[in-house]
Coordinates of all heavy atoms in Angstrom, one line a residue:
A1 N -0.1 6.2 -5.4 CA -0.1 5.7 -6.8 C 1.2 6.1 -7.5 O 1.6 5.3 -8.4 CB -1.3 6.3 -7.6
E2 N 1.8 7.2 -7.1 CA 3.0 7.6 -7.7 C 4.0 7.8 -6.6 O 4.3 8.9 -6.2 CB 2.8 8.9 -8.5 CG 1.9 8.7 -9.7 CD 1.8 9.9 -10.6 OE1 2.5 10.9 -10.3 OE2 1.0 9.9 -11.5
P3 N 4.6 6.7 -6.0 CA 5.5 6.8 -4.9 C 6.8 7.6 -5.3 O 7.3 7.5 -6.4 CB 5.8 5.4 -4.6 CG 5.5 4.6 -5.8 CD 4.4 5.3 -6.5
E4 N 7.3 8.3 -4.3 CA 8.5 9.1 -4.5 C 9.7 8.4 -3.7 O 9.5 7.4 -3.1 CB 8.3 10.5 -4.0 CG 7.2 11.3 -4.8 CD 6.9 12.6 -4.2 OE1 7.6 13.0 -3.2 OE2 6.0 13.3 -4.7
L5 N 10.8 9.0 -3.8 CA 12.0 8.4 -3.2 C 11.8 8.2 -1.7 O 12.2 7.1 -1.1 CB 13.2 9.3 -3.4 CG 14.5 8.9 -2.7 CD1 15.0 7.5 -3.3 CD2 15.6 9.9 -3.0
V6 N 11.1 9.1 -1.0 CA 10.9 9.0 0.4 C 10.1 7.8 0.7 O 10.3 7.0 1.7 CB 10.3 10.3 1.0 CG1 8.9 10.5 0.4 CG2 10.2 10.2 2.5
H7 N 9.1 7.5 -0.1 CA 8.2 6.3 0.1 C 9.0 5.0 0.0 O 8.9 4.1 0.8 CB 7.0 6.3 -0.9 CG 6.2 7.5 -0.7 ND1 6.2 8.5 -1.7 CD2 5.3 8.0 0.3 CE1 5.3 9.5 -1.3 NE2 4.8 9.2 -0.1
W8 N 9.8 4.9 -1.1 CA 10.6 3.7 -1.3 C 11.6 3.5 -0.1 O 11.9 2.4 0.3 CB 11.3 3.8 -2.6 CG 10.4 3.6 -3.8 CD1 10.1 4.6 -4.7 CD2 9.6 2.5 -4.1 NE1 9.2 4.1 -5.7 CE2 8.9 2.8 -5.3 CE3 9.4 1.2 -3.6 CZ2 8.0 1.9 -5.9 CZ3 8.6 0.3 -4.2 CH2 7.9 0.7 -5.3
G9 N 12.2 4.7 0.3 CA 13.2 4.6 1.4 C 12.5 4.1 2.7 O 13.1 3.3 3.4
N10 N 11.3 4.6 3.0 CA 10.6 4.2 4.2 C 10.2 2.7 4.1 O 10.3 2.0 5.1 CB 9.3 5.1 4.4 CG 9.7 6.5 4.8 OD1 10.8 6.7 5.3 ND2 8.7 7.4 4.6
L11 N 9.8 2.3 2.9 CA 9.4 0.9 2.7 C 10.6 0.0 3.0 O 10.4 -1.0 3.7 CB 9.0 0.7 1.2 CG 8.6 -0.8 0.9 CD1 7.3 -1.2 1.5 CD2 8.6 -0.9 -0.6
S12 N 11.8 0.4 2.6 CA 13.0 -0.4 2.8 C 13.3 -0.5 4.3 O 13.6 -1.6 4.8 CB 14.2 0.2 2.1 OG 15.3 -0.6 2.4
E13 N 13.1 0.6 5.0 CA 13.4 0.6 6.5 C 12.3 -0.2 7.3 O 12.7 -0.9 8.3 CB 13.4 2.0 7.0 CG 14.6 2.8 6.5 CD 15.9 2.3 7.0 OE1 16.0 1.8 8.1 OE2 16.9 2.4 6.2
L14 N 11.1 -0.2 6.8 CA 10.0 -0.8 7.6 C 9.9 -2.3 7.2 O 9.1 -3.0 7.9 CB 8.7 -0.1 7.3 CG 8.6 1.3 7.9 CD1 7.3 2.0 7.4 CD2 8.7 1.3 9.4
L15 N 10.5 -2.7 6.2 CA 10.3 -4.1 5.6 C 10.4 -5.2 6.7 O 9.6 -6.1 6.6 CB 11.3 -4.3 4.5 CG 10.8 -5.3 3.4 CD1 9.4 -4.8 2.8 CD2 11.8 -5.4 2.3
P16 N 11.3 -5.1 7.6 CA 11.4 -6.2 8.6 C 10.1 -6.4 9.4 O 9.9 -7.5 10.0 CB 12.6 -5.8 9.5 CG 13.4 -5.0 8.6 CD 12.4 -4.2 7.8
H17 N 9.3 -5.3 9.5 CA 8.1 -5.4 10.3 C 6.8 -5.5 9.5 O 5.7 -5.6 10.0 CB 8.0 -4.1 11.2 CG 9.2 -3.9 12.0 ND1 9.5 -4.6 13.2 CD2 10.2 -2.9 11.9 CE1 10.6 -4.1 13.7 NE2 11.1 -3.1 12.9
L18 N 7.0 -5.4 8.2 CA 5.8 -5.1 7.3 C 5.1 -6.4 7.0 O 5.7 -7.4 6.5 CB 6.3 -4.4 6.0 CG 5.4 -3.5 5.3 CD1 4.9 -2.4 6.3 CD2 6.1 -2.9 4.1
V19 N 3.7 -6.3 7.1 CA 2.9 -7.5 6.8 C 1.8 -7.1 5.8 O 0.9 -7.9 5.5 CB 2.3 -8.2 8.0 CG1 3.4 -8.8 8.8 CG2 1.5 -7.2 8.9
G20 N 1.9 -5.8 5.3 CA 0.8 -5.4 4.3 C 1.0 -4.0 3.9 O 1.7 -3.2 4.6
A21 N 0.4 -3.6 2.8 CA 0.4 -2.3 2.3 C -0.8 -2.1 1.4 O -1.0 -2.8 0.4 CB 1.7 -2.0 1.5
L22 N -1.7 -1.2 1.8 CA -2.9 -0.9 1.0 C -2.7 0.3 0.1 O -2.0 1.2 0.4 CB -4.1 -0.6 2.0 CG -4.9 -1.8 2.5 CD1 -4.0 -2.7 3.3 CD2 -6.1 -1.3 3.3
P23 N -3.3 0.2 -1.1 CA -3.2 1.3 -2.0 C -4.0 2.5 -1.5 O -5.0 2.4 -0.9 CB -3.8 0.8 -3.3 CG -4.7 -0.3 -2.9 CD -4.1 -0.9 -1.7
D24 N -3.5 3.7 -1.8 CA -4.2 4.9 -1.5 C -5.6 4.9 -2.1 O -5.7 4.5 -3.3 CB -3.4 6.1 -2.0 CG -3.9 7.4 -1.4 OD1 -4.7 7.4 -0.4 OD2 -3.6 8.5 -2.0
G25 N -6.6 5.2 -1.4 CA -7.9 5.2 -1.9 C -8.7 3.9 -1.9 O -9.8 3.8 -2.4
A26 N -8.1 2.9 -1.2 CA -8.7 1.6 -1.1 C -10.1 1.7 -0.5 O -11.0 0.9 -0.9 CB -7.8 0.6 -0.3
G27 N -10.3 2.6 0.5 CA -11.6 2.7 1.2 C -12.7 3.2 0.3 O -13.9 3.0 0.6
A28 N -12.3 3.8 -0.9 CA -13.3 4.3 -1.8 C -13.7 3.3 -2.9 O -14.5 3.6 -3.8 CB -12.9 5.6 -2.4
M29 N -13.1 2.2 -2.9 CA -13.3 1.2 -3.9 C -14.7 0.6 -3.8 O -15.3 0.6 -2.7 CB -12.3 0.0 -3.8 CG -10.9 0.3 -4.2 SD -9.9 -1.2 -4.0 CE -8.4 -0.7 -4.8
D30 N -15.2 0.1 -4.9 CA -16.4 -0.8 -4.8 C -16.1 -1.9 -3.9 O -15.1 -2.6 -3.9 CB -16.7 -1.3 -6.2 CG -17.9 -2.3 -6.2 OD1 -19.0 -1.9 -6.2 OD2 -17.6 -3.5 -6.2
P31 N -17.1 -2.2 -3.0 CA -16.8 -3.3 -2.0 C -16.4 -4.6 -2.6 O -15.6 -5.4 -2.1 CB -18.1 -3.4 -1.2 CG -18.7 -2.0 -1.3 CD -18.3 -1.5 -2.6
G32 N -17.0 -5.0 -3.7 CA -16.7 -6.2 -4.4 C -15.3 -6.2 -4.9 O -14.5 -7.2 -4.7
V33 N -14.8 -5.1 -5.5 CA -13.5 -5.0 -5.9 C -12.5 -5.0 -4.8 O -11.5 -5.7 -4.8 CB -13.3 -3.7 -6.8 CG1 -11.8 -3.5 -7.1 CG2 -14.1 -3.7 -8.0
F34 N -12.9 -4.4 -3.7 CA -12.1 -4.4 -2.5 C -11.8 -5.8 -2.0 O -10.7 -6.2 -1.7 CB -12.8 -3.5 -1.4 CG -12.1 -3.4 -0.1 CD1 -11.2 -2.4 0.1 CD2 -12.3 -4.3 0.9 CE1 -10.5 -2.2 1.3 CE2 -11.6 -4.2 2.2 CZ -10.7 -3.1 2.4
R35 N -12.9 -6.5 -1.9 CA -12.8 -7.9 -1.3 C -11.9 -8.8 -2.2 O -11.2 -9.7 -1.7 CB -14.2 -8.5 -1.1 CG -14.9 -7.8 0.0 CD -16.4 -8.3 0.0 NE -17.2 -7.2 0.5 CZ -18.5 -7.0 0.3 NH1 -19.1 -7.9 -0.5 NH2 -19.2 -6.0 0.7
R36 N -12.1 -8.6 -3.5 CA -11.3 -9.4 -4.4 C -9.8 -9.0 -4.4 O -9.0 -9.8 -4.9 CB -11.8 -9.3 -5.9 CG -13.2 -10.0 -6.0 CD -13.6 -10.1 -7.5 NE -13.7 -8.8 -8.2 CZ -14.9 -8.1 -8.2 NH1 -16.0 -8.6 -7.6 NH2 -15.0 -6.9 -8.8
S37 N -9.5 -7.9 -3.9 CA -8.1 -7.3 -4.0 C -7.3 -7.5 -2.7 O -6.1 -7.5 -2.8 CB -8.2 -5.8 -4.4 OG -8.9 -5.6 -5.6
V38 N -8.0 -7.7 -1.6 CA -7.3 -7.6 -0.3 C -6.1 -8.6 -0.2 O -5.1 -8.2 0.5 CB -8.3 -7.7 0.9 CG1 -9.2 -6.5 0.9 CG2 -9.0 -9.0 0.8

């Protein structure tokens, strides 16, 4: 929820391979909210 410099740096490096990113805590969401958000 509060990414730091290391997270942004890693995102930049992984971007050529990246096809998704889930928010931290997604598994604890209400299932209906989860499905509407994916």
Side-chain angles (χ1 to χ4, degrees):
E2 298 182 3
E4 300 175 0
L5 179 61
V6 63
H7 300 109
W8 291 115
N10 290 341
L11 178 73
S12 177
E13 292 294 328
L14 293 172
L15 211 53
H17 307 285
L18 211 56
V19 291
L22 273 62
D24 192 19
M29 286 181 173
D30 173 83
V33 175
F34 181 89
R35 291 168 212 158
R36 291 192 295 272
S37 304
V38 292

